[in-house]
Amino acid sequence: MKGKRSAGLLLYRRADDGPEVLLGHMGGPFFARRDAGAWTVPKGEYEPDETAWDAARREFQEELGLPPPDGEAVPLGEVEQKNGKVVTAWAIEADLDPATVVPGTFEMEWPPKSGLRQEFPELDRVEWFGLDRAGELIVPAQAAFLDRLAEHSGL
């Protein structure tokens, strides 16, 4: 996994009871019964010939089936996940109805060593969360993005 890079967009909105962020629950059988640590910024991998910004926008479209929103992009920097993947993210203030999401899919052998290939959604659900709850659910390394967003925007 070392050397892989991923980029994504973290949407946020201001709600009556405080700021909220849009996270996606990772699809597929490995995360089906997990909640804590199974939510992520909508993101995806990219190759060296693509910029992180272009990848973040492309992956938003691929993962959610919706065009990335316009608006000021707040750089949230990078984090390194436990698996060695480096994730770069930007925050954009925007609203989105989770019911409009049409997730992209991926294929994998399941069950393992069965020879059967199945298709799964990249994200099996997308929801808005307050920052505290998001911090409990997000992939641990990505929690730094929530802290950086709160610092930058005074949320």
Side-chain angles (χ1 to χ4, degrees):
M1 185 64 69
K2 283 283 186 197
K4 293 201 182 242
R5 299 187 69 79
S6 191
L9 300 178
L10 177 64
L11 297 193
Y12 71 98
R13 67 183 184 184
R14 298 168 198 274
D16 291 340
D17 55 347
E20 297 178 331
V21 292
L22 186 75
L23 299 178
H25 185 270
M26 292 182 273
F30 298 122
F31 300 99
R33 291 183 173 85
R34 289 183 50 200
D35 221 20
W39 292 81
T40 183
V41 171
K43 62 169 184 45
E45 292 181 8
Y46 65 99
E47 298 297 326
D49 62 343
E50 184 178 24
T51 69
W53 172 247
D54 288 341
R57 294 180 56 77
R58 174 182 53 76
E59 285 292 337
F60 187 92
Q61 175 86 41
E62 288 179 13
E63 299 245 335
L64 301 181
L66 301 168
D70 293 324
E72 178 191 355
V74 177
L76 299 177
E78 296 181 343
V79 298
E80 185 174 345
Q81 296 184 160
K82 191 167 71 171
N83 62 8
K85 183 184 288 183
V86 175
V87 180
T88 305
W90 287 265
I92 297 178
E93 186 170 6
D95 203 354
L96 179 150
D97 179 356
T100 63
V101 169
V102 181
T105 60
F106 69 97
E107 191 177 279
M108 67 180 280
E109 182 180 15
W110 190 259
K113 300 180 182 171
S114 67
L116 301 173
R117 303 224 27 108
Q118 292 191 46
E119 189 172 79
F120 298 96
E122 294 273 353
L123 300 173
D124 58 21
R125 58 193 186 276
V126 176
E127 294 182 32
W128 289 98
F129 295 102
L131 291 180
D132 288 343
R133 182 69 176 140
E136 296 169 0
L137 298 174
I138 199 165
V139 172
Q142 292 180 30
F145 294 142
L146 304 176
D147 296 338
R148 294 171 191 168
L149 173 63
E151 289 170 13
H152 175 277
S153 58
L155 296 176

